[in-house]
PDB file of all heavy atoms in Angstrom:
ATOM      1  N   GLY A   3      59.592  19.408  46.036  1.00 87.00           N
ATOM      2  CA  GLY A   3      59.007  20.721  46.105  1.00 87.00           C
ATOM      3  C   GLY A   3      59.012  21.513  44.837  1.00 87.00           C
ATOM      4  O   GLY A   3      58.386  22.545  44.694  1.00 87.00           O
ATOM      5  N   GLU A   4      59.715  20.968  43.798  1.00 92.00           N
ATOM      6  CA  GLU A   4      59.828  21.656  42.539  1.00 92.00           C
ATOM      7  C   GLU A   4      58.970  20.966  41.493  1.00 92.00           C
ATOM      8  O   GLU A   4      58.802  21.515  40.373  1.00 92.00           O
ATOM      9  CB  GLU A   4      61.232  21.722  42.026  1.00 92.00           C
ATOM     10  CG  GLU A   4      62.184  22.494  42.892  1.00 92.00           C
ATOM     11  CD  GLU A   4      63.609  22.532  42.407  1.00 92.00           C
ATOM     12  OE1 GLU A   4      63.865  21.773  41.445  1.00 92.00           O
ATOM     13  OE2 GLU A   4      64.451  23.273  42.924  1.00 92.00           O
ATOM     14  N   GLY A   5      58.424  19.838  41.755  1.00 93.00           N
ATOM     15  CA  GLY A   5      57.622  19.100  40.764  1.00 93.00           C
ATOM     16  C   GLY A   5      56.630  18.189  41.500  1.00 93.00           C
ATOM     17  O   GLY A   5      56.609  18.072  42.680  1.00 93.00           O
ATOM     18  N   PHE A   6      55.851  17.436  40.627  1.00 94.00           N
ATOM     19  CA  PHE A   6      54.921  16.513  41.213  1.00 94.00           C
ATOM     20  C   PHE A   6      55.575  15.159  41.511  1.00 94.00           C
ATOM     21  O   PHE A   6      56.504  14.733  40.808  1.00 94.00           O
ATOM     22  CB  PHE A   6      53.739  16.305  40.284  1.00 94.00           C
ATOM     23  CG  PHE A   6      54.034  15.966  38.868  1.00 94.00           C
ATOM     24  CD1 PHE A   6      54.133  14.587  38.501  1.00 94.00           C
ATOM     25  CD2 PHE A   6      54.220  16.953  37.902  1.00 94.00           C
ATOM     26  CE1 PHE A   6      54.419  14.225  37.196  1.00 94.00           C
ATOM     27  CE2 PHE A   6      54.536  16.571  36.595  1.00 94.00           C
ATOM     28  CZ  PHE A   6      54.607  15.211  36.249  1.00 94.00           C
ATOM     29  N   ALA A   7      55.110  14.485  42.586  1.00 94.00           N
ATOM     30  CA  ALA A   7      55.708  13.242  42.984  1.00 94.00           C
ATOM     31  C   ALA A   7      55.299  12.026  42.140  1.00 94.00           C
ATOM     32  O   ALA A   7      54.086  11.948  41.831  1.00 94.00           O
ATOM     33  CB  ALA A   7      55.385  13.026  44.479  1.00 94.00           C
ATOM     34  N   VAL A   8      56.152  11.154  41.830  1.00 94.00           N
ATOM     35  CA  VAL A   8      55.890   9.938  41.064  1.00 94.00           C
ATOM     36  C   VAL A   8      56.579   8.752  41.732  1.00 94.00           C
ATOM     37  O   VAL A   8      57.797   8.804  42.050  1.00 94.00           O
ATOM     38  CB  VAL A   8      56.386  10.093  39.599  1.00 94.00           C
ATOM     39  CG1 VAL A   8      56.289   8.776  38.854  1.00 94.00           C
ATOM     40  CG2 VAL A   8      55.625  11.216  38.893  1.00 94.00           C
ATOM     41  N   GLU A   9      55.814   7.736  41.906  1.00 94.00           N
ATOM     42  CA  GLU A   9      56.361   6.442  42.439  1.00 94.00           C
ATOM     43  C   GLU A   9      56.882   5.634  41.279  1.00 94.00           C
ATOM     44  O   GLU A   9      56.063   5.325  40.339  1.00 94.00           O
ATOM     45  CB  GLU A   9      55.292   5.709  43.234  1.00 94.00           C
ATOM     46  CG  GLU A   9      55.805   4.410  43.831  1.00 94.00           C
ATOM     47  CD  GLU A   9      54.776   3.590  44.550  1.00 94.00           C
ATOM     48  OE1 GLU A   9      53.695   4.102  44.772  1.00 94.00           O
ATOM     49  OE2 GLU A   9      55.038   2.406  44.811  1.00 94.00           O
ATOM     50  N   VAL A  10      58.107   5.250  41.316  1.00 94.00           N
ATOM     51  CA  VAL A  10      58.691   4.493  40.167  1.00 94.00           C
ATOM     52  C   VAL A  10      58.219   3.025  40.187  1.00 94.00           C
ATOM     53  O   VAL A  10      58.347   2.345  41.207  1.00 94.00           O
ATOM     54  CB  VAL A  10      60.236   4.516  40.231  1.00 94.00           C
ATOM     55  CG1 VAL A  10      60.838   3.721  39.094  1.00 94.00           C
ATOM     56  CG2 VAL A  10      60.751   5.994  40.245  1.00 94.00           C
ATOM     57  N   ARG A  11      57.632   2.592  39.111  1.00 93.00           N
ATOM     58  CA  ARG A  11      57.189   1.213  39.006  1.00 93.00           C
ATOM     59  C   ARG A  11      58.084   0.308  38.076  1.00 93.00           C
ATOM     60  O   ARG A  11      58.125  -0.877  38.248  1.00 93.00           O
ATOM     61  CB  ARG A  11      55.724   1.193  38.449  1.00 93.00           C
ATOM     62  CG  ARG A  11      54.669   1.805  39.402  1.00 93.00           C
ATOM     63  CD  ARG A  11      54.711   1.090  40.735  1.00 93.00           C
ATOM     64  NE  ARG A  11      53.763   1.611  41.682  1.00 93.00           N
ATOM     65  CZ  ARG A  11      52.495   1.209  41.770  1.00 93.00           C
ATOM     66  NH1 ARG A  11      51.997   0.345  40.934  1.00 93.00           N
ATOM     67  NH2 ARG A  11      51.704   1.756  42.679  1.00 93.00           N
ATOM     68  N   LEU A  12      58.690   1.005  37.147  1.00 93.00           N
ATOM     69  CA  LEU A  12      59.555   0.185  36.112  1.00 93.00           C
ATOM     70  C   LEU A  12      60.516   1.131  35.474  1.00 93.00           C
ATOM     71  O   LEU A  12      60.209   2.322  35.256  1.00 93.00           O
ATOM     72  CB  LEU A  12      58.641  -0.435  35.063  1.00 93.00           C
ATOM     73  CG  LEU A  12      59.359  -1.130  33.882  1.00 93.00           C
ATOM     74  CD1 LEU A  12      60.005  -2.447  34.339  1.00 93.00           C
ATOM     75  CD2 LEU A  12      58.380  -1.439  32.780  1.00 93.00           C
ATOM     76  N   VAL A  13      61.750   0.711  35.239  1.00 94.00           N
ATOM     77  CA  VAL A  13      62.740   1.484  34.461  1.00 94.00           C
ATOM     78  C   VAL A  13      63.156   0.615  33.309  1.00 94.00           C
ATOM     79  O   VAL A  13      63.657  -0.531  33.460  1.00 94.00           O
ATOM     80  CB  VAL A  13      63.916   1.856  35.341  1.00 94.00           C
ATOM     81  CG1 VAL A  13      64.960   2.591  34.440  1.00 94.00           C
ATOM     82  CG2 VAL A  13      63.475   2.753  36.494  1.00 94.00           C
ATOM     83  N   GLU A  14      62.968   1.131  32.096  1.00 93.00           N
ATOM     84  CA  GLU A  14      63.468   0.435  30.899  1.00 93.00           C
ATOM     85  C   GLU A  14      64.855   1.038  30.539  1.00 93.00           C
ATOM     86  O   GLU A  14      64.919   2.207  30.193  1.00 93.00           O
ATOM     87  CB  GLU A  14      62.489   0.591  29.703  1.00 93.00           C
ATOM     88  CG  GLU A  14      61.193  -0.117  29.882  1.00 93.00           C
ATOM     89  CD  GLU A  14      60.305   0.097  28.660  1.00 93.00           C
ATOM     90  OE1 GLU A  14      60.040   1.217  28.290  1.00 93.00           O
ATOM     91  OE2 GLU A  14      59.877  -0.906  28.101  1.00 93.00           O
ATOM     92  N   GLU A  15      65.877   0.176  30.533  1.00 92.00           N
ATOM     93  CA  GLU A  15      67.214   0.675  30.129  1.00 92.00           C
ATOM     94  C   GLU A  15      67.506   0.169  28.732  1.00 92.00           C
ATOM     95  O   GLU A  15      67.588  -0.943  28.457  1.00 92.00           O
ATOM     96  CB  GLU A  15      68.221   0.179  31.149  1.00 92.00           C
ATOM     97  CG  GLU A  15      68.008   0.710  32.582  1.00 92.00           C
ATOM     98  CD  GLU A  15      69.097   0.349  33.521  1.00 92.00           C
ATOM     99  OE1 GLU A  15      70.293   0.500  33.106  1.00 92.00           O
ATOM    100  OE2 GLU A  15      68.819  -0.046  34.597  1.00 92.00           O
ATOM    101  N   LEU A  16      67.678   1.201  27.805  1.00 89.00           N
ATOM    102  CA  LEU A  16      67.870   0.883  26.356  1.00 89.00           C
ATOM    103  C   LEU A  16      69.205   1.291  25.828  1.00 89.00           C
ATOM    104  O   LEU A  16      69.418   1.424  24.623  1.00 89.00           O
ATOM    105  CB  LEU A  16      66.797   1.585  25.579  1.00 89.00           C
ATOM    106  CG  LEU A  16      65.350   1.300  26.019  1.00 89.00           C
ATOM    107  CD1 LEU A  16      64.376   2.174  25.174  1.00 89.00           C
ATOM    108  CD2 LEU A  16      64.977  -0.147  25.823  1.00 89.00           C
ATOM    109  N   GLY A  17      70.244   1.470  26.762  1.00 87.00           N
ATOM    110  CA  GLY A  17      71.512   1.856  26.334  1.00 87.00           C
ATOM    111  C   GLY A  17      71.671   3.328  26.302  1.00 87.00           C
ATOM    112  O   GLY A  17      72.031   3.974  27.296  1.00 87.00           O
ATOM    113  N   ALA A  18      71.404   3.991  25.177  1.00 87.00           N
ATOM    114  CA  ALA A  18      71.489   5.452  25.045  1.00 87.00           C
ATOM    115  C   ALA A  18      70.418   6.145  25.838  1.00 87.00           C
ATOM    116  O   ALA A  18      70.556   7.339  26.261  1.00 87.00           O
ATOM    117  CB  ALA A  18      71.532   5.887  23.582  1.00 87.00           C
ATOM    118  N   ASP A  19      69.295   5.554  25.949  1.00 90.00           N
ATOM    119  CA  ASP A  19      68.166   6.121  26.716  1.00 90.00           C
ATOM    120  C   ASP A  19      67.615   5.152  27.747  1.00 90.00           C
ATOM    121  O   ASP A  19      67.906   3.970  27.783  1.00 90.00           O
ATOM    122  CB  ASP A  19      66.970   6.397  25.739  1.00 90.00           C
ATOM    123  CG  ASP A  19      67.308   7.498  24.718  1.00 90.00           C
ATOM    124  OD1 ASP A  19      67.815   8.531  25.212  1.00 90.00           O
ATOM    125  OD2 ASP A  19      67.025   7.311  23.583  1.00 90.00           O
ATOM    126  N   ALA A  20      66.903   5.763  28.725  1.00 93.00           N
ATOM    127  CA  ALA A  20      66.249   4.971  29.708  1.00 93.00           C
ATOM    128  C   ALA A  20      64.866   5.586  29.957  1.00 93.00           C
ATOM    129  O   ALA A  20      64.773   6.865  29.880  1.00 93.00           O
ATOM    130  CB  ALA A  20      67.054   4.885  31.009  1.00 93.00           C
ATOM    131  N   TYR A  21      63.870   4.807  30.219  1.00 95.00           N
ATOM    132  CA  TYR A  21      62.497   5.376  30.404  1.00 95.00           C
ATOM    133  C   TYR A  21      61.997   4.895  31.757  1.00 95.00           C
ATOM    134  O   TYR A  21      62.009   3.713  32.061  1.00 95.00           O
ATOM    135  CB  TYR A  21      61.581   4.911  29.251  1.00 95.00           C
ATOM    136  CG  TYR A  21      61.927   5.603  27.972  1.00 95.00           C
ATOM    137  CD1 TYR A  21      62.771   4.960  27.000  1.00 95.00           C
ATOM    138  CD2 TYR A  21      61.484   6.867  27.696  1.00 95.00           C
ATOM    139  CE1 TYR A  21      63.048   5.605  25.844  1.00 95.00           C
ATOM    140  CE2 TYR A  21      61.757   7.480  26.509  1.00 95.00           C
ATOM    141  CZ  TYR A  21      62.524   6.859  25.573  1.00 95.00           C
ATOM    142  OH  TYR A  21      62.877   7.490  24.379  1.00 95.00           O
ATOM    143  N   LEU A  22      61.526   5.845  32.486  1.00 94.00           N
ATOM    144  CA  LEU A  22      60.897   5.601  33.818  1.00 94.00           C
ATOM    145  C   LEU A  22      59.381   5.507  33.655  1.00 94.00           C
ATOM    146  O   LEU A  22      58.728   6.386  33.052  1.00 94.00           O
ATOM    147  CB  LEU A  22      61.278   6.734  34.745  1.00 94.00           C
ATOM    148  CG  LEU A  22      60.741   6.781  36.157  1.00 94.00           C
ATOM    149  CD1 LEU A  22      61.659   7.614  37.045  1.00 94.00           C
ATOM    150  CD2 LEU A  22      59.319   7.374  36.241  1.00 94.00           C
ATOM    151  N   HIS A  23      58.763   4.444  34.132  1.00 95.00           N
ATOM    152  CA  HIS A  23      57.332   4.260  34.227  1.00 95.00           C
ATOM    153  C   HIS A  23      56.888   4.426  35.687  1.00 95.00           C
ATOM    154  O   HIS A  23      57.395   3.687  36.542  1.00 95.00           O
ATOM    155  CB  HIS A  23      56.943   2.894  33.680  1.00 95.00           C
ATOM    156  CG  HIS A  23      57.316   2.676  32.246  1.00 95.00           C
ATOM    157  ND1 HIS A  23      56.365   2.557  31.216  1.00 95.00           N
ATOM    158  CD2 HIS A  23      58.498   2.454  31.652  1.00 95.00           C
ATOM    159  CE1 HIS A  23      56.937   2.342  30.054  1.00 95.00           C
ATOM    160  NE2 HIS A  23      58.261   2.287  30.310  1.00 95.00           N
ATOM    161  N   GLY A  24      56.006   5.330  35.941  1.00 94.00           N
ATOM    162  CA  GLY A  24      55.602   5.534  37.294  1.00 94.00           C
ATOM    163  C   GLY A  24      54.166   5.934  37.489  1.00 94.00           C
ATOM    164  O   GLY A  24      53.399   6.170  36.549  1.00 94.00           O
ATOM    165  N   LYS A  25      53.755   6.076  38.744  1.00 92.00           N
ATOM    166  CA  LYS A  25      52.379   6.437  39.149  1.00 92.00           C
ATOM    167  C   LYS A  25      52.452   7.797  39.876  1.00 92.00           C
ATOM    168  O   LYS A  25      53.255   7.968  40.759  1.00 92.00           O
ATOM    169  CB  LYS A  25      51.779   5.387  40.046  1.00 92.00           C
ATOM    170  CG  LYS A  25      50.311   5.703  40.414  1.00 92.00           C
ATOM    171  CD  LYS A  25      49.752   4.555  41.261  1.00 92.00           C
ATOM    172  CE  LYS A  25      50.280   4.616  42.686  1.00 92.00           C
ATOM    173  NZ  LYS A  25      49.661   5.802  43.435  1.00 92.00           N
ATOM    174  N   ILE A  26      51.612   8.741  39.399  1.00 92.00           N
ATOM    175  CA  ILE A  26      51.605  10.052  40.005  1.00 92.00           C
ATOM    176  C   ILE A  26      51.018   9.911  41.443  1.00 92.00           C
ATOM    177  O   ILE A  26      49.865   9.434  41.610  1.00 92.00           O
ATOM    178  CB  ILE A  26      50.831  11.028  39.138  1.00 92.00           C
ATOM    179  CG1 ILE A  26      51.414  11.193  37.797  1.00 92.00           C
ATOM    180  CG2 ILE A  26      50.681  12.411  39.869  1.00 92.00           C
ATOM    181  CD1 ILE A  26      50.594  12.018  36.819  1.00 92.00           C
ATOM    182  N   VAL A  27      51.725  10.364  42.392  1.00 89.00           N
ATOM    183  CA  VAL A  27      51.267  10.302  43.780  1.00 89.00           C
ATOM    184  C   VAL A  27      50.202  11.370  44.032  1.00 89.00           C
ATOM    185  O   VAL A  27      50.416  12.545  43.712  1.00 89.00           O
ATOM    186  CB  VAL A  27      52.436  10.424  44.785  1.00 89.00           C
ATOM    187  CG1 VAL A  27      51.921  10.439  46.183  1.00 89.00           C
ATOM    188  CG2 VAL A  27      53.463   9.372  44.533  1.00 89.00           C
ATOM    189  N   GLY A  28      49.054  10.914  44.552  1.00 79.00           N
ATOM    190  CA  GLY A  28      48.050  11.892  44.872  1.00 79.00           C
ATOM    191  C   GLY A  28      47.132  12.334  43.777  1.00 79.00           C
ATOM    192  O   GLY A  28      46.283  13.244  43.988  1.00 79.00           O
ATOM    193  N   ALA A  29      47.333  11.776  42.565  1.00 72.00           N
ATOM    194  CA  ALA A  29      46.491  12.163  41.435  1.00 72.00           C
ATOM    195  C   ALA A  29      45.073  11.561  41.600  1.00 72.00           C
ATOM    196  O   ALA A  29      44.900  10.460  42.151  1.00 72.00           O
ATOM    197  CB  ALA A  29      47.061  11.636  40.128  1.00 72.00           C
ATOM    198  N   GLU A  30      44.098  12.306  41.166  1.00 63.00           N
ATOM    199  CA  GLU A  30      42.645  11.836  41.339  1.00 63.00           C
ATOM    200  C   GLU A  30      42.475  10.587  40.487  1.00 63.00           C
ATOM    201  O   GLU A  30      43.027  10.426  39.375  1.00 63.00           O
ATOM    202  CB  GLU A  30      41.766  12.923  40.794  1.00 63.00           C
ATOM    203  CG  GLU A  30      41.521  14.098  41.708  1.00 63.00           C
ATOM    204  CD  GLU A  30      40.416  15.019  41.199  1.00 63.00           C
ATOM    205  OE1 GLU A  30      39.731  14.647  40.212  1.00 63.00           O
ATOM    206  OE2 GLU A  30      40.239  16.104  41.802  1.00 63.00           O
ATOM    207  N   HIS A  31      41.731   9.694  41.105  1.00 55.00           N
ATOM    208  CA  HIS A  31      41.295   8.415  40.373  1.00 55.00           C
ATOM    209  C   HIS A  31      42.452   7.552  39.900  1.00 55.00           C
ATOM    210  O   HIS A  31      42.310   6.768  39.012  1.00 55.00           O
ATOM    211  CB  HIS A  31      40.402   8.751  39.172  1.00 55.00           C
ATOM    212  CG  HIS A  31      39.251   9.744  39.459  1.00 55.00           C
ATOM    213  ND1 HIS A  31      38.362   9.501  40.418  1.00 55.00           N
ATOM    214  CD2 HIS A  31      38.955  10.956  38.954  1.00 55.00           C
ATOM    215  CE1 HIS A  31      37.466  10.501  40.530  1.00 55.00           C
ATOM    216  NE2 HIS A  31      37.890  11.401  39.668  1.00 55.00           N
ATOM    217  N   ALA A  32      43.624   7.739  40.509  1.00 48.00           N
ATOM    218  CA  ALA A  32      44.787   6.949  40.091  1.00 48.00           C
ATOM    219  C   ALA A  32      44.587   5.537  40.551  1.00 48.00           C
ATOM    220  O   ALA A  32      44.241   5.303  41.672  1.00 48.00           O
ATOM    221  CB  ALA A  32      46.089   7.537  40.693  1.00 48.00           C
ATOM    222  N   GLU A  33      44.792   4.612  39.584  1.00 51.00           N
ATOM    223  CA  GLU A  33      44.637   3.221  39.971  1.00 51.00           C
ATOM    224  C   GLU A  33      45.896   2.735  40.624  1.00 51.00           C
ATOM    225  O   GLU A  33      47.028   2.991  40.156  1.00 51.00           O
ATOM    226  CB  GLU A  33      44.376   2.347  38.715  1.00 51.00           C
ATOM    227  CG  GLU A  33      43.044   2.704  37.987  1.00 51.00           C
ATOM    228  CD  GLU A  33      42.817   1.837  36.759  1.00 51.00           C
ATOM    229  OE1 GLU A  33      43.026   0.662  36.879  1.00 51.00           O
ATOM    230  OE2 GLU A  33      42.404   2.440  35.766  1.00 51.00           O
ATOM    231  N   ALA A  34      45.771   2.041  41.757  1.00 50.00           N
ATOM    232  CA  ALA A  34      46.960   1.757  42.581  1.00 50.00           C
ATOM    233  C   ALA A  34      48.080   0.972  41.849  1.00 50.00           C
ATOM    234  O   ALA A  34      49.231   1.200  42.151  1.00 50.00           O
ATOM    235  CB  ALA A  34      46.469   0.919  43.810  1.00 50.00           C
ATOM    236  N   ASP A  35      47.696   0.058  40.942  1.00 53.00           N
ATOM    237  CA  ASP A  35      48.703  -0.769  40.366  1.00 53.00           C
ATOM    238  C   ASP A  35      49.073  -0.339  38.909  1.00 53.00           C
ATOM    239  O   ASP A  35      49.631  -1.172  38.181  1.00 53.00           O
ATOM    240  CB  ASP A  35      48.225  -2.256  40.376  1.00 53.00           C
ATOM    241  CG  ASP A  35      48.002  -2.736  41.770  1.00 53.00           C
ATOM    242  OD1 ASP A  35      48.848  -2.411  42.603  1.00 53.00           O
ATOM    243  OD2 ASP A  35      47.046  -3.513  42.049  1.00 53.00           O
ATOM    244  N   VAL A  36      48.626   0.811  38.505  1.00 58.00           N
ATOM    245  CA  VAL A  36      48.874   1.196  37.117  1.00 58.00           C
ATOM    246  C   VAL A  36      49.928   2.328  37.042  1.00 58.00           C
ATOM    247  O   VAL A  36      49.877   3.304  37.805  1.00 58.00           O
ATOM    248  CB  VAL A  36      47.561   1.759  36.499  1.00 58.00           C
ATOM    249  CG1 VAL A  36      47.830   2.307  35.117  1.00 58.00           C
ATOM    250  CG2 VAL A  36      46.534   0.580  36.474  1.00 58.00           C
ATOM    251  N   ALA A  37      50.950   2.106  36.198  1.00 65.00           N
ATOM    252  CA  ALA A  37      51.905   3.165  35.923  1.00 65.00           C
ATOM    253  C   ALA A  37      51.300   4.081  34.864  1.00 65.00           C
ATOM    254  O   ALA A  37      50.925   3.664  33.782  1.00 65.00           O
ATOM    255  CB  ALA A  37      53.225   2.559  35.333  1.00 65.00           C
ATOM    256  N   ASP A  38      51.125   5.373  35.258  1.00 83.00           N
ATOM    257  CA  ASP A  38      50.353   6.284  34.355  1.00 83.00           C
ATOM    258  C   ASP A  38      51.160   7.380  33.803  1.00 83.00           C
ATOM    259  O   ASP A  38      50.589   8.307  33.221  1.00 83.00           O
ATOM    260  CB  ASP A  38      49.141   6.830  35.114  1.00 83.00           C
ATOM    261  CG  ASP A  38      49.509   7.582  36.373  1.00 83.00           C
ATOM    262  OD1 ASP A  38      50.734   7.778  36.650  1.00 83.00           O
ATOM    263  OD2 ASP A  38      48.604   8.001  37.115  1.00 83.00           O
ATOM    264  N   ILE A  39      52.525   7.289  33.892  1.00 91.00           N
ATOM    265  CA  ILE A  39      53.350   8.240  33.222  1.00 91.00           C
ATOM    266  C   ILE A  39      54.664   7.675  32.822  1.00 91.00           C
ATOM    267  O   ILE A  39      55.190   6.785  33.506  1.00 91.00           O
ATOM    268  CB  ILE A  39      53.569   9.458  34.237  1.00 91.00           C
ATOM    269  CG1 ILE A  39      54.396  10.572  33.546  1.00 91.00           C
ATOM    270  CG2 ILE A  39      54.308   9.031  35.481  1.00 91.00           C
ATOM    271  CD1 ILE A  39      54.519  11.868  34.370  1.00 91.00           C
ATOM    272  N   VAL A  40      55.185   8.149  31.716  1.00 95.00           N
ATOM    273  CA  VAL A  40      56.452   7.658  31.225  1.00 95.00           C
ATOM    274  C   VAL A  40      57.368   8.887  30.945  1.00 95.00           C
ATOM    275  O   VAL A  40      56.922   9.909  30.386  1.00 95.00           O
ATOM    276  CB  VAL A  40      56.352   6.858  29.876  1.00 95.00           C
ATOM    277  CG1 VAL A  40      57.698   6.388  29.413  1.00 95.00           C
ATOM    278  CG2 VAL A  40      55.426   5.696  30.062  1.00 95.00           C
ATOM    279  N   THR A  41      58.611   8.829  31.396  1.00 95.00           N
ATOM    280  CA  THR A  41      59.513   9.991  31.143  1.00 95.00           C
ATOM    281  C   THR A  41      60.914   9.476  30.828  1.00 95.00           C
ATOM    282  O   THR A  41      61.266   8.400  31.299  1.00 95.00           O
ATOM    283  CB  THR A  41      59.554  10.924  32.330  1.00 95.00           C
ATOM    284  OG1 THR A  41      60.394  11.990  32.000  1.00 95.00           O
ATOM    285  CG2 THR A  41      60.095  10.206  33.547  1.00 95.00           C
ATOM    286  N   ARG A  42      61.602  10.155  29.993  1.00 94.00           N
ATOM    287  CA  ARG A  42      62.967   9.797  29.633  1.00 94.00           C
ATOM    288  C   ARG A  42      63.904  10.315  30.702  1.00 94.00           C
ATOM    289  O   ARG A  42      63.813  11.475  31.131  1.00 94.00           O
ATOM    290  CB  ARG A  42      63.327  10.349  28.277  1.00 94.00           C
ATOM    291  CG  ARG A  42      64.699   9.878  27.734  1.00 94.00           C
ATOM    292  CD  ARG A  42      64.886  10.245  26.321  1.00 94.00           C
ATOM    293  NE  ARG A  42      65.031  11.698  26.173  1.00 94.00           N
ATOM    294  CZ  ARG A  42      65.020  12.299  24.990  1.00 94.00           C
ATOM    295  NH1 ARG A  42      64.871  11.653  23.862  1.00 94.00           N
ATOM    296  NH2 ARG A  42      65.161  13.645  24.918  1.00 94.00           N
ATOM    297  N   VAL A  43      64.857   9.489  31.154  1.00 93.00           N
ATOM    298  CA  VAL A  43      65.838   9.870  32.203  1.00 93.00           C
ATOM    299  C   VAL A  43      67.193   9.525  31.755  1.00 93.00           C
ATOM    300  O   VAL A  43      67.413   8.761  30.810  1.00 93.00           O
ATOM    301  CB  VAL A  43      65.448   9.144  33.526  1.00 93.00           C
ATOM    302  CG1 VAL A  43      64.072   9.583  34.061  1.00 93.00           C
ATOM    303  CG2 VAL A  43      65.476   7.606  33.359  1.00 93.00           C
TER     304      VAL A  43
END
């Protein structure tokens, strides 16, 4: 309820950092099998 929904497709763990690759749920023209956002977690 505080942000947009993202389905997690991959998590890269690099030790000090980790990066989440995901697909925005409900975004227009989103390709089903494509991770379209990366964020540091």
Side-chain angles (χ1 to χ4, degrees):
E4 297 179 353
F6 53 91
V8 172
E9 180 184 348
V10 179
R11 293 301 181 88
L12 173 69
V13 176
E14 290 183 305
E15 299 188 43
L16 306 176
D19 291 314
Y21 290 96
L22 177 158
H23 298 249
K25 182 177 77 70
I26 300 174
V27 176
E30 284 188 8
H31 311 301
E33 297 181 45
D35 297 323
V36 174
D38 57 7
I39 184 172
V40 180
T41 182
R42 188 170 66 189
V43 295

